[in-house]
Amino acid sequence: MTAQPVTFLGRAEAIIGTREAQLVNQGMRHLTEMRDSAVAEFPIMDPLRDRARVIRLHALANLDRLLSHFTDQVIEQGGEVHFAADADEANEIVARILEETGSRLVVKSKSMVSEEIHLNPYLEARGIEVVETDLGEFIVQLAGDTPSHIVAPTIHLDRHDIGALFARKLGVPETFDPTELNQIARDHLRQVFLRADAGISGVNVAVAESGSLITVTNEGNGRLITTAPRVHIALLGMERLVSRWVDASVILEVLARSATGQRLSSYTNVVTGPRREADEDGPQQLHVVVIDNGRSQILGSDTAEILACIRCGACLNICPVFRTVGGHAYGTVYSGPFGSIVTPGLLGMEPWWELPYASTLCGACEEVCPIRIQIPSLLLKLRARAAAEGRLPGWLERGIRRYTNTVYTPTKWERAKRLAHTLSSPISRDGWIRRLPGRGRGWTAYRDFPRPARESFSAWWRSKRGT
Amino acid sequence: MEGPTVQLVVTCLVDALAPQVGRATVTVLERAGCQVEFLAGQTCCGQPAFNVGMLTEARRMAGHTLDLLDVTQGPVVVPSGSCAAMMTRHYGELFAATDREQQAERVGSRVRELSQFLVDDLGTGLRASCDGCLVAYHHSCHGLRSLRLRHQAEVLLSEVEMAELEGSEECCGFGGVFAVEMPAVSAAIMNEKLDRIEASGANILVGGDVSCLMHLEGGLRRRNSKIAVKHLAEALAGDDL
């Protein structure tokens, strides 16, 4: 693999105008339409969003209590709970459980937190075979790629890419028919399911009152990996709890409609403890790994509200920037508007402080967020943090300082306007500038810039209206 | 009709780059019966610094604007949804728990975007007219989402033939400093918007924010497009320009 550009802009420039960008844009518009019609047919969506917000904020405000209650319940049901302070600890815990249970082959359902902690390479380096069973994640894994969207990981690929990939990697005859492609993946994965020693899943919602883990999928793979293998390991982002079942039902409704425009996901899988004596199937062991990895730090900061996020992806789907560049431009698993807030919190400001600037602050994200998270306002808070920590590029910081000094003093502003008109004379034609110097080049690389006026509005007012 | 005395805030972009929009705003407000006052010494509301996150600088600029306006009374009218949103919504945040908090609230509550003032406050009968025009309207994001503006411009343009613009509520990609910081991304979003404006068949693009409009007009010029670009105030002022 060639070295990735190190900045958002560098990665974005490499994607803009490509087929990948086109596929992402189409996919995002499609998902947004699905979401819009699912919301339009559901008159109580807005009050339910208000309710969902209250539920999530309440959970965050009482997270200690909820976690402790949840842990007691899981243990009561016969499961084990492990706490991981960071990614390394989480990976070590999972590897240890697999080693202790003699697990060599692991099947996974979709888990973004496993991407966050880079679990697969960690396990593979220890000789454990890991197979993704979510169709999208399976394709991403086969391609040696990374997910480009938290809900739709292969939105940057189409059936031709996938047909060619399957032929190359699985040795099957090339087909571009989606039904046949599904069948190929299903046949391949079914064999793996039956042989697997352990299943690793993510968790969409954890219910404190019963110690239950809820996972939603559209393929049923989540149900297989949590029942067929001997061991089930659930990776739980520390913040994904709700108090009660009635709360969970609200979250599931707004989640499905916002994510994919469904009334409910095809499969809502609930795991409460491992197999009991009378059960016909289910794992012998259930381990829940509760992962902090920076979440406590976010919880104690002015961006804590982002932890209320339920990962529906609606803010990605509607974001003009995300639609244009796709998830890969963000350089990390959590992309788009919510990712630009979560990532600097989880992974640190360096080098991720630039992500909050990858936004036009158009506000469309906040309008679709099922939890009504004030995304633009959180982006602004992170921008303020970046500026206060002195992370802004010199040209920008100096530019804003200079501008402030100029406009703060009206006489300087008057002079600056006159000077700008005079100096722009040699580079202007018909009142427009085709090439600006310095940082202005970025603007004029793509569009003309209006020439500063000969007579500003205030000069006109002074001469015509006499004040 | 005897209208109120209004304080006109033209914004830094109109003052320096698009004074014709300021003059059109004066024409329209006077035609609607208002006495227009304009305070010399007004410059910038502070939004560029605020959006970059440089809050000290933003507070300096915003404080300057607040001091200037606080000695006046009556509505403050701004021909920009973005700057009006800055003054009504963000001044409060910027000065929360400071000795300017009340001043920010006092001045902010007087601020009106132009179309909002004309339609909601004055109930004006002014309507734009334009023979042979097919108008595409760009609803700028801050007006649309922070101030909930939409029908106001539609009322003012109700006697003009309007083009069907796909995605008329989608961002144009300007984004303030974003346009300079991430120009390739900004321009890619812009180009999708321009494709749609061209596909609408419109021969004139109208909007309520000079910021988005200069970005879109600059892009249309690069395409050698024949589509004219006007601020809503210019469309309303019509022949008096």
Side-chain angles (χ1 to χ4, degrees), chain A residues 30-39 110 149 151-152 216-218 252-266 311-314 317:
Chain A
H30 177 65
L31 278 172
T32 298
E33 279 167 25
M34 308 262 283
R35 180 260 170 205
D36 287 349
S37 52
V39 168
K110 196 155 160 296
H149 185 290
V151 173
V216 294
T217 73
N218 281 317
L252 292 178
E253 284 212 77
V254 297
L255 173 62
R257 285 182 194 264
S258 302
T260 46
Q262 292 168 288
R263 291 172 185 167
L264 271 183
S265 303
S266 305
R311 305 286 192 269
C312 69
N317 305 347

Side-chain angles (χ1 to χ4, degrees), chain B residues 70-129:
Chain B
D70 202 18
V71 298
T72 67
Q73 284 180 341
V76 174
V77 179
V78 191
S80 158
S82 193
C83 304
M86 175 72 196
M87 297 171 78
T88 55
R89 287 198 46 172
H90 299 305
Y91 276 12
E93 288 167 38
L94 204 48
F95 294 112
T98 71
D99 52 9
R100 280 194 191 270
E101 190 170 13
Q102 288 184 353
Q103 186 190 34
E105 164 59 30
R106 201 160 52 232
V107 173
S109 64
R110 291 165 50 204
V111 173
R112 298 285 185 278
E113 183 275 342
L114 177 65
S115 69
Q116 184 183 35
F117 179 69
L118 290 172
V119 174
D120 296 354
D121 297 351
L122 291 186
T124 182
L126 284 181
R127 299 291 179 265
S129 66

Side-chain angles (χ1 to χ4, degrees), chain A residues 322-382:
Chain A
F322 186 93
R323 284 177 173 183
T324 303
V325 301
H328 288 151
Y330 293 78
T332 169
V333 58
Y334 301 125
S335 57
F338 96 92
S340 298
I341 301 164
V342 161
T343 302
L346 293 182
L347 304 181
M349 289 293 272
E350 199 56 48
W352 307 105
W353 65 269
E354 62 162 2
L355 293 184
Y357 289 87
S359 164
T360 64
L361 301 176
C362 80
C365 46
E366 185 173 341
E367 286 204 328
V368 296
C369 176
I371 310 296
R372 300 192 191 281
I373 296 172
Q374 299 165 69
I375 296 170
S377 159
L378 297 178
L379 290 168
L380 283 167
K381 282 179 176 155
L382 282 167

Side-chain angles (χ1 to χ4, degrees), chain A residues 171-228:
Chain A
V172 293
E174 197 167 73
T175 169
F176 303 126
D177 176 59
T179 311
E180 285 178 29
L181 289 170
N182 257 312
Q183 196 55 48
I184 292 167
R186 186 173 304 203
D187 292 344
H188 180 85
L189 288 172
R190 194 56 63 126
Q191 296 310 310
V192 185
F193 278 125
L194 296 175
R195 289 192 293 119
D197 302 302
I200 297 179
S201 75
V203 179
N204 290 94
V205 184
V207 187
E209 71 174 345
S210 61
S212 301
L213 306 165
I214 305 176
T215 313
V216 294
T217 73
N218 281 317
E219 297 159 23
N221 62 316
R223 198 161 281 189
L224 269 172
I225 72 129
T226 58
T227 47

